[in-house]
């Protein structure tokens, strides 16, 4: 890469698509044509060059993003191939961060799928310039037997669908910008919005613009409209530019007048076809039919070869396989690499243009609210940001690079000699013991300056160019290049920003589409290998950007992955690469939530002061000095969703990391009422409902669990009074103040009517116990009463009253209560926790389980078998439709996470491998069944029998399974079917 000094001639691109839509096959043909002899053209599409792992070759799917440098004409194109499976979406995020453009592939038969939506959104978030490639055009001819007009309608529909997705993202951005402006946010983000508003009416992908290509990656041919426009320009006597605009859309060619017209100017009853069908698709169909059909015109291939002066060896034309002959002709007539790479060069920006557009995403402008910050520090930080914006590659510019992931390579794969021929020492290990066979390299993109080997940017010992099929040592690399850096294994865990100066804003975090939800506990088969397992887990955690390694409260090592395929690969890497020991893997650990039954609006109406309501639970501390009363109600589903999705920003605001309040909760507050209030038919009641929630949002004392969860602790009503001399622990709306929902209040101050000194001391003690109440709330919401799982969408009002110390006649007896019981703060904490859990049990508790969104594709004959599998997995079918122009049915459903293990394998077995499914974590859903159900009414007893013979329902089975795994007591029969023993014949 050092040969390309001109940054304008560099393109950084990645390939994005749904699984099995042809990404790696396309990369093979690009490498075969421009990779400098790394891959023979005959092996392209078969070797899967970018899938370098054995597991990738065995499964025939890409699991790791990999990169290579291609030299096309005067351009250096850094190509990154990314996975299409949802389990490896983190690799898509790392690839998108290092790229400036994305090739989005869509199967012309299968069309847009769920992962296509995901990669388009990732490209939009990272501000990549996308180009569309409609792949597998040959399937329309050979499999579906479509006519050229039917194929055109199919392609037109896909382009419109993809443009609709991008248009939705633009609208979403526009509406969020309008909300920000209405909220009065400061900053100059408004200038950046203009670029989206100006071209909002223009489709993102337009074949006439040149950013859409049509291809068959397996056979190595492809084209854009530009190639056919140049070919027909001389024949039709029109300019190439005019034909390029006319070869897509409702444009027709009148052979009599030799003019291009629109449909309304055609003669009545005319059967003219669109120009794309007449001049592009029909010749392709004729070539395919002449080669593959027995009665085809064999002379047509010879005509194509002579017309375009194709250099096809006679040996290939004599091949008995007509498919091989067709491939030889098509790959030379319409070379795939020329069509794709010319589109990349013309439509995708160079690093200089791309970084000026992406700077707002890479390093958003930040406001410094603290006084006393050195102005020179801020000035240098602004200078670094400007250098990144213009992609300054001069040696004097500050060097800034972003590491998107750490990847492990065997030490034997490292080059033995440096760029100047010196021998490199590859024996040193980042861990310092020299025993590991793996070396960790940082996958990075240089955004400013020049990065040199040995430069003091953290710790750099060697610098490699990883894009030449193998690692190639280089002495330095300029801005705009993608490199691998060695020596950062001890300093970077997942991703980081590298800079030659400390005064540099860090890059924004990468956005991941899903979270690691599949968890298993692992342990070595031999306890003596525990040290090797811990070391292997550390290496795996560093090598995989998406895996999470934690230690549970019981001391187990828990591994969290994105899905079954991801988990299998992690376990295989642990056994064979990192730990190299035999492992015992537990069944998947499924997370649940706990909530209560009921409607939020009804509970809000019933929520009154504790002195007049019977819906509270009362607990007393062992020493009798504190009485705790707890009421619980259900939060609106919209508010629960907002709290769950905004945990990161809420944590920053509540923790004081952000000096300004966020407008998200402020704008969502109105949407919460809009989502919930339609159930109220009476406008007056709806307005009261809205006002009540607005008042409650001003009383948020804490969120839980872990200070940012989807449960709320409200401060007690200040009007609550008791007849005795007890004092209420009032609390303070700390969270409401942080969120800007209420101004700073004095709830925690002592009332002015504290006449006696004893009462004043009691108020001081009550103020000191506020943290105990909050801690009890956090403990309760972190472990609910059903199976110690976190609570979900609940609001608590806790009223704790402190009684004065009872007067004792003897001084020695006055000390006895404090010695007899635990510390008073701990007693309050335990009483609050027990009262909260008891209140949940009183309100008909329910389990909440995570749900996957599942998209399935299956032929018609296997539709019944597929539905049988869905029924066994408790799936909820949402939509079923037949894909237009194909024999496949597309079914969308929700599948519980607890039922998803082995789902793909069960589906393949039941449908003989014809059906495939993709799972994406969607939402949390409440189970309607009561885990403690006992028949009471006559109808229930008639349907289910008496309580002794009722089988446990689904909720009870799930609850008992979790309790059994955690070692909690489970109510179950020890002896099953004992009555059968009496009916058996006695053996004599």
């Amino acid at each position: 890469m050092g040969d390309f000094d001109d940054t304008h001639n560099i393109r950084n691109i990645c390939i994005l698509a749904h699984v099995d839509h042809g990404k790696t096959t396309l990369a093979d043909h690009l490498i075969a044509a421009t990779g400098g002899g790394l891959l023979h053209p005959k092996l392209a599409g078969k070797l899967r060059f970018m899938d370098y792992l054995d597991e990738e070759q065995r499964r025939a799917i890409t699991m790791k993003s990999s990169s290579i440098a291609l030299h096309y004409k005067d351009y250096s194109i850094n190509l990154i191939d990314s996975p299409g499976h949802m389990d490896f979406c983190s690799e898509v995020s790392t690839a998108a961060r290092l790229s400036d453009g994305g090739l989005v592939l869509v199967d012309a038969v299968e069309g847009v799928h769920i992962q296509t939506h995901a990669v388009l959104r990732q490209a939009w978030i990272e501000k990549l310039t996308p180009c569309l490639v409609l792949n597998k055009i040959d399937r329309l001819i050979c499999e579906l037997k479509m006519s050229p007009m039917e194929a055109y309608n199919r392609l037109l529909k896909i382009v419109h669908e993809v443009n609709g997705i991008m248009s939705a993202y633009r609208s979403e951005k526009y509406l969020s910008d309008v909300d920000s402006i209405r909220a009065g946010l400061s900053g100059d983000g408004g200038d950046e919005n203009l670029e989206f508003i100006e071209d909002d009416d223009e489709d993102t992908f337009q074949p006439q613009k040149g950013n859409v290509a049509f291809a068959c990656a397996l056979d190595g041919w492809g084209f854009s409209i530009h190639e056919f426009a140049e070919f027909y320009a001389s024949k039709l006597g029109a300019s190439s530019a005019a034909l390029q605009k006319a070869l897509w859309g409702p444009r027709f060619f009148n052979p009599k007048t030799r003019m291009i017209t629109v449909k309304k100017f055609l003669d009545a009853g005319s059967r003219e076809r669109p120009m794309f069908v007449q001049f592009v698709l029909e010749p392709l169909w004729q070539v395919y039919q002449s080669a593959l059909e027995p009665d085809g015109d064999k002379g047509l291939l010879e005509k194509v070869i002579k017309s375009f002066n194709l250099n096809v060896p006679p040996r290939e034309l004599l091949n008995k396989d007509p498919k091989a002959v067709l491939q030889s002709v098509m790959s030379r007539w319409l070379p795939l690499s020329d069509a794709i790479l010319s589109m990349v060069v013309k439509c995708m920006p160079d690093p200089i243009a791309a970084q000026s557009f992406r700077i707002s995403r890479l390093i958003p402008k930040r406001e410094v609210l603290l006084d006393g910050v050195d102005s020179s520090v801020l000035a240098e930080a602004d200078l670094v940001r400007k250098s990144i914006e213009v992609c300054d590659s001069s040696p004097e510019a500050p060097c800034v690079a972003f590491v998107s992931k750490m990847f492990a390579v065997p030490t034997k794969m490292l080059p033995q000699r440096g760029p100047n021929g010196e021998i490199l020492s590859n024996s040193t290990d980042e861990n310092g013991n020299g025993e590991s066979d793996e070396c960790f390299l940082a996958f990075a993109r240089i955004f400013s300056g020049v990065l040199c080997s040995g430069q003091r940017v953290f710790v750099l010992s060697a610098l490699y160019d990883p894009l030449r099929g193998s690692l190639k040592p280089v002495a330095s690399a300029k801005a705009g290049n993608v490199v691998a850096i060695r020596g950062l294994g001890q300093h970077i865990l997942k991703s980081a920003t590298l800079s030659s100066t400390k005064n540099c804003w860090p890059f924004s975090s990468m956005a991941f589409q899903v979270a690691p939800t599949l968890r298993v506990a692992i342990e070595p088969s031999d306890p003596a290998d525990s040290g090797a397992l811990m070391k292997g887990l550390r290496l795996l955690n560093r090598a995989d950007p998406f895996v999470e390694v934690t230690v549970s409260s019981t001391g187990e090592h828990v591994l969290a992955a994105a899905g079954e395929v991801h988990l299998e690969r992690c376990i295989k890497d642990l056994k064979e690469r990192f730990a190299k020991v035999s492992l015992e893997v537990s069944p998947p650990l499924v997370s649940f939530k706990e909530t209560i039954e009921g409607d939020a609006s009804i509970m809000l109406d019933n929520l009154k002061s504790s002195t007049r309501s019977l819906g509270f639970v009362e607990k007393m501390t062992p020493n009798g000095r504190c009485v705790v009363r707890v009421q619980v109600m259900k939060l609106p589903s919209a508010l629960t969703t907002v709290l769950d999705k905004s945990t990161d920003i809420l944590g920053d605001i509540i923790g004081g990391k952000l000096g300004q309040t966020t407008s998200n909760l402020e704008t969502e507050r109105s949407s919460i009422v809009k989502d919930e209030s339609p159930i109220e038919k009476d406008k007056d009641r709806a307005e009261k409902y809205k006002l009540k929630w607005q008042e409650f949002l001003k009383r948020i004392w804490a969120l839980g669990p872990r200070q940012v969860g989807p449960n709320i602790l409200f401060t007690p009503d200040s009007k609550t009074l008791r007849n005795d001399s007890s004092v209420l622990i009032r609390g303070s709306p700390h969270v409401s103040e942080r969120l800007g929902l209420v101004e700073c209040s004095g709830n925690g101050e002592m009332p002015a009517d504290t006449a006696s000194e004893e009462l004043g001391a009691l108020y001081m003690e009550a103020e000191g116990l506020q943290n105990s109440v909050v801690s009890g709330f956090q403990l309760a919401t972190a472990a609910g009463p059903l199976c110690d799982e976190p609570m979900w969408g609940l609001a608590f009002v806790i009223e704790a009253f402190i009684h004065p110390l009872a007067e004792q006649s003897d001084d020695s007896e006055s000390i006895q209560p404090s010695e007899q019981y635990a510390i008073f703060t701990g007693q309050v904490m335990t009483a609050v926790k027990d009262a909260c859990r008891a209140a949940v049990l009183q309100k008909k508790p329910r389990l909440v389980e995570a749900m996957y969104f599942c998209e399935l594709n299956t032929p018609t004959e296997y539709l019944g078998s597929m539905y049988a599998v869905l029924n066994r997995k408790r799936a909820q079918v949402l939509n079923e439709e037949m894909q237009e122009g194909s024999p496949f049915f597309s079914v969308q459903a929700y599948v519980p996470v607890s039922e998803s293990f082995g789902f793909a394998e069960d589906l393949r077995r039941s449908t003989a491998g014809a059906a495939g499914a993709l799972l994406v974590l969607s939402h949390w859903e409440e189970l309607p069944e009561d885990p403690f159900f006992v028949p009471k009414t006559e109808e229930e007893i008639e349907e289910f029998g008496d309580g002794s013979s009722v089988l446990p329902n689904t909720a009870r089975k799930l609850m008992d399974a979790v309790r059994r795994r955690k070692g909690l007591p489970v109510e179950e029969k020890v002896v099953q079917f004992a009555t059968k023993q009496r009916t058996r014949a006695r053996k004599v």
Side-chain angles (χ1 to χ4, degrees):
M1 296 172 68
D3 299 337
F4 288 85
D5 296 330
D6 189 2
T7 311
H8 291 281
N9 289 347
I10 296 176
R11 298 291 186 273
N12 296 311
I13 65 171
C14 58
I15 306 179
L16 309 170
H18 186 79
V19 63
D20 289 334
H21 277 203
K23 298 179 299 300
T24 306
T25 305
L26 172 64
D28 270 11
H29 284 279
L30 299 182
I31 296 169
T34 59
L38 287 174
L39 180 63
H40 194 277
K42 286 189 176 182
L43 296 178
K46 304 173 184 176
L47 188 62
R48 300 178 63 87
F49 184 81
M50 301 295 276
D51 291 347
Y52 61 94
L53 297 177
D54 294 339
E55 191 72 5
E56 292 178 320
Q57 292 286 346
R58 186 177 68 85
R59 291 179 177 267
I61 61 171
T62 304
M63 298 181 178
K64 287 281 189 181
S65 56
S66 51
S67 53
I68 193 168
L70 307 176
H71 299 314
Y72 175 71
K73 297 181 179 179
D74 295 331
Y75 294 89
S76 175
I77 299 175
N78 300 326
L79 176 69
I80 304 177
D81 183 24
S82 64
H85 200 285
M86 183 59 77
D87 282 11
F88 307 102
C89 65
S90 62
E91 298 287 340
V92 178
S93 302
T94 59
R97 172 53 62 92
L98 302 187
S99 306
D100 297 324
L103 289 173
V104 181
L105 267 69
V106 178
D107 190 322
V109 174
E110 296 183 3
V112 175
H113 276 275
I114 184 171
Q115 186 66 0
T116 312
H117 287 262
V119 298
L120 285 171
R121 183 167 187 83
Q122 192 68 43
W124 171 260
I125 291 173
E126 292 294 342
K127 292 197 169 187
L128 303 186
T129 302
C131 288
L132 181 63
V133 180
L134 298 178
N135 194 22
K136 304 187 182 182
I137 301 292
D138 61 313
R139 293 183 64 189
L140 302 177
I141 310 173
C142 303
E143 291 184 22
L144 303 186
K145 308 295 183 181
M146 284 186 172
S147 66
M149 191 65 199
E150 292 172 340
Y152 168 72
N153 291 328
R154 174 71 178 166
L155 298 175
L156 188 66
K157 178 185 175 183
I158 294 176
V159 173
H160 284 172
E161 190 173 356
V162 177
N163 280 325
I165 297 171
M166 298 302 295
S167 179
Y169 294 151
R170 279 203 300 269
S171 301
E172 178 184 335
K173 176 68 168 62
Y174 174 76
L175 293 175
S176 65
D177 292 338
V178 171
D179 289 341
S180 300
I181 295 171
R182 291 178 62 185
L185 290 181
S186 59
D188 48 19
D191 297 336
E192 298 173 356
N193 302 335
L194 298 178
E195 62 195 1
F196 300 100
I197 299 173
E198 289 173 359
D199 61 346
D200 187 56
D201 295 333
E202 187 175 339
D203 289 336
T204 303
F205 301 105
Q206 300 182 31
Q208 60 269 30
K209 286 171 55 178
N211 63 353
V212 177
F214 307 87
C216 170
L218 186 62
D219 290 342
W221 62 266
F223 63 91
S224 61
I225 287 181
H226 176 72
E227 280 86 354
F228 281 89
E230 288 186 342
F231 171 68
Y232 286 112
S234 58
K235 288 193 172 185
L236 300 180
S239 65
S240 174
L243 278 178
Q244 188 165 340
K245 293 180 181 179
L247 277 176
W248 184 259
R251 303 287 191 276
F252 302 84
F253 181 73
N254 191 335
K256 296 179 181 179
T257 60
R258 298 182 67 85
M259 297 288 290
I260 298 172
T261 62
V262 294
K263 190 170 185 178
K264 63 181 181 179
F265 294 111
L266 291 177
D267 298 334
S270 175
R271 294 187 177 181
E272 292 295 331
R273 294 92 63 208
M275 292 184 64
F276 185 78
V277 176
Q278 182 178 357
F279 294 105
V280 179
L281 294 185
E282 287 183 355
L284 288 177
W285 259 244
Q286 292 171 6
V287 171
Y288 262 79
Q289 291 169 358
S290 65
L292 300 180
E293 293 184 2
D295 55 346
D297 183 9
K298 305 302 180 182
L300 186 60
L301 289 180
E302 296 289 341
K303 185 178 180 181
V304 171
I305 294 173
K306 291 180 180 179
S307 299
F308 294 96
N309 295 322
L310 303 182
N311 185 17
V312 183
R315 182 182 67 255
E316 296 184 8
L317 292 176
L318 296 177
N319 196 313
K320 294 184 180 180
D321 184 6
K323 184 71 175 176
V325 177
L326 179 65
Q327 181 179 356
S328 300
V329 175
M330 294 297 295
S331 61
R332 289 170 173 83
W333 176 28
L334 301 170
L336 177 63
S337 59
D338 288 347
I340 300 298
L341 295 181
S342 62
M343 179 176 67
V344 166
V345 169
K346 293 176 183 177
C347 300
M348 293 189 182
D350 57 74
I352 298 176
Q355 288 180 204
S356 63
F357 173 66
R358 299 180 65 201
I359 187 67
S360 60
R361 164 62 187 165
L362 299 174
I363 304 184
K365 282 197 172 181
R366 296 172 172 87
E367 294 182 9
V368 180
L369 301 177
L370 300 176
D371 298 330
V373 179
D374 191 354
S375 59
S376 62
V377 174
L378 298 178
E380 187 174 1
D382 290 338
L383 176 63
V384 173
R385 190 178 188 275
K386 291 179 181 177
S387 299
I388 297 173
E389 185 174 1
V390 300
C391 191
D392 190 351
S393 58
S394 62
E396 296 80 15
C399 178
V400 180
F402 180 78
V403 177
S404 66
K405 70 170 183 176
M406 302 292 293
F407 66 100
V409 296
T411 308
K412 60 184 179 182
M413 289 181 60
L414 296 177
Q416 302 299 319
R417 294 186 178 273
N420 299 322
E422 69 276 12
I423 298 177
L424 297 177
S425 176
N426 294 327
S427 60
T428 57
D429 180 37
E430 280 93 348
N431 297 325
N433 52 18
E435 297 176 358
S436 176
D437 295 332
E438 304 288 336
C439 177
F440 281 90
L441 302 180
F443 195 30
R445 156 89 179 264
I446 305 171
F447 286 91
S448 172
V450 179
L451 187 62
C452 303
S453 177
Q455 184 175 347
R456 292 184 61 84
V457 182
F458 295 107
V459 179
L460 297 184
S461 62
L463 186 64
Y464 298 106
D465 171 6
L467 310 174
R468 296 290 299 163
S470 59
L471 296 170
K472 171 188 173 184
V474 294
S476 63
K478 290 186 177 182
N481 286 308
V482 179
V483 295
I485 308 169
R486 186 185 177 192
L488 297 175
Q490 284 184 310
H491 306 278
I492 298 176
L493 181 60
K494 301 285 188 182
S495 62
T497 302
L498 306 181
S499 175
S500 58
T501 173
K502 293 182 180 180
N503 302 324
C504 172
W505 294 112
F507 278 55
S508 60
S509 301
M510 292 180 292
F512 296 115
Q513 300 289 336
V514 298
T517 54
L518 181 58
R519 301 179 301 128
V520 294
I522 55 176
E523 61 182 15
S525 301
D526 184 358
D529 295 330
S530 297
L533 174 61
M534 294 179 65
K535 176 186 173 184
L537 287 174
R538 286 196 300 268
L539 295 177
L540 176 67
N541 193 30
R542 190 183 306 161
D544 195 309
F546 207 51
V547 76
E548 289 184 2
V549 178
T550 56
V551 179
S552 67
S553 57
T554 58
E556 295 175 307
H557 292 283
V558 178
L559 184 68
E564 285 188 86
V565 181
H566 186 206
L567 178 64
E568 289 177 16
R569 201 207 67 206
C570 291
I571 298 298
K572 184 178 178 66
D573 285 347
L574 266 180
K575 290 181 178 179
E576 299 180 359
R577 295 181 62 189
F578 300 128
K580 297 182 178 179
V581 296
S582 178
L583 298 177
E584 298 293 332
V585 183
S586 74
L589 312 178
V590 184
S591 297
F592 292 93
K593 307 285 187 183
E594 300 181 22
T595 188
I596 59 176
E597 186 188 36
D599 188 9
S601 61
I602 298 175
M603 291 191 175
L604 188 64
D605 291 337
N606 294 334
L607 188 67
K608 302 176 182 179
S609 62
S610 297
T611 56
R612 294 177 294 171
S613 175
L614 299 177
F616 64 85
V617 171
E618 184 172 301
K619 294 285 183 180
M620 183 180 292
T621 56
N623 62 2
R625 285 201 57 212
C626 180
V627 177
V628 179
R629 290 182 172 182
V630 175
Q631 275 187 290
V632 61
M633 64 178 178
K634 199 170 185 179
L635 292 176
S637 58
L639 178 57
T640 305
T641 304
V642 170
L643 293 175
D644 183 53
K645 292 183 178 180
S646 307
T647 53
D648 293 337
I649 193 167
L650 284 173
D652 291 340
I653 295 171
I654 297 172
K657 294 182 181 179
L658 294 182
Q660 60 181 7
T661 60
T662 178
S663 65
N664 290 352
L665 210 61
E666 191 70 36
T667 54
E668 291 285 354
R669 191 166 56 174
S670 60
S671 67
I672 293 166
V673 179
K674 290 177 183 177
D675 290 343
E676 298 294 332
S677 59
I679 62 175
E680 309 286 352
K681 297 180 180 179
D682 188 1
K683 291 185 178 180
D684 295 336
R685 191 180 178 194
E687 187 64 26
K688 290 180 181 179
Y689 179 77
K690 175 181 177 181
L691 293 176
K692 281 183 180 180
W693 271 115
Q694 288 180 346
E695 288 299 320
F696 268 102
L697 290 178
K698 296 178 181 178
R699 291 170 48 189
I700 303 178
W701 188 355
L703 302 177
R706 294 181 296 276
Q707 310 295 334
V708 290
N711 304 286
I712 298 179
L713 172 61
F714 291 122
T715 57
D717 191 355
S718 58
K719 298 178 182 179
T720 303
L721 298 175
R722 284 173 63 93
N723 297 327
D724 53 16
S725 58
S726 60
V727 172
L728 174 67
I729 300 178
R730 298 175 180 273
S732 62
H734 168 69
V735 176
S736 296
E737 294 171 4
R738 286 286 188 180
L739 296 177
L741 301 175
V742 66
E743 296 181 358
C744 293
S745 60
N747 282 356
E749 297 179 0
M750 190 185 307
D753 58 349
T754 55
S756 65
E757 181 179 347
E758 181 181 356
L759 194 57
L762 201 58
Y763 272 106
M764 292 292 292
E765 185 179 11
E767 186 177 350
L769 289 172
Q770 291 183 10
N771 288 337
S772 298
V773 175
V774 174
S775 298
F777 164 75
Q778 299 290 349
L779 290 173
T781 53
L786 294 182
C787 48
D788 277 3
E789 291 292 311
M791 295 185 187
W792 175 263
L794 300 182
F796 293 88
V797 178
I798 300 176
E799 298 174 355
F801 295 92
I802 305 297
H803 296 273
L805 282 168
E807 295 184 1
Q808 302 287 342
S809 58
D810 191 354
D811 294 341
S812 62
E813 294 180 1
S814 63
I815 306 174
Q816 186 176 356
S818 62
E819 295 178 348
Q820 182 178 358
Y821 306 106
I823 301 174
F824 188 42
T825 55
Q827 296 181 46
V828 174
M829 192 186 308
T830 304
V832 170
K833 182 191 73 171
D834 293 343
C836 290
R837 290 164 63 101
V840 172
L841 282 176
Q842 190 185 64
K843 293 285 187 178
K844 298 181 180 178
R846 295 290 185 267
L847 273 182
V848 183
E849 61 178 350
M851 302 293 287
Y852 278 131
F853 176 79
C854 177
E855 188 177 60
L856 305 101
N857 293 281
T858 181
T860 309
E861 57 268 24
Y862 292 107
L863 203 57
S865 302
M866 184 196 68
Y867 274 116
V869 176
L870 291 177
N871 288 334
R872 289 198 298 269
K873 299 295 184 179
R874 296 192 293 117
Q876 307 171 18
V877 178
L878 304 175
N879 184 31
E880 174 197 333
E881 61 181 5
M882 190 168 187
Q883 296 181 7
E884 184 179 352
S886 71
F888 290 94
F889 268 88
S890 178
V891 178
Q892 296 175 344
Y894 286 139
V895 178
V897 172
S898 58
E899 303 286 347
S900 65
F901 311 113
F903 174 66
E905 184 179 354
D906 194 6
L907 190 65
R908 285 194 298 266
R909 188 186 303 113
S910 301
T911 61
L918 191 67
L919 302 174
V920 184
L921 187 65
S922 175
H923 65 285
W924 292 87
E925 186 170 305
E926 176 184 334
L927 274 171
E929 299 172 339
D930 184 0
F932 303 108
F933 172 72
V934 175
K936 295 180 180 178
T937 64
E938 293 183 2
E939 292 81 3
E940 291 176 347
I941 294 175
E942 184 178 352
E943 182 177 356
F944 301 102
D946 58 356
S948 61
S949 61
V950 175
L951 297 176
N953 55 26
T954 303
R956 185 59 180 256
K957 291 177 182 177
L958 295 175
M959 183 187 75
D960 288 346
V962 176
R963 293 184 68 89
R964 197 175 291 109
R965 173 170 59 83
K966 292 184 176 182
L968 301 174
V970 178
E971 295 182 6
E972 58 182 348
K973 292 182 179 179
V974 178
V975 178
Q976 297 287 343
F977 311 114
T979 56
K980 288 188 176 181
Q981 301 293 332
R982 304 174 188 171
T983 60
R984 290 181 177 178
R986 182 176 298 177
K987 303 293 183 183
V988 179

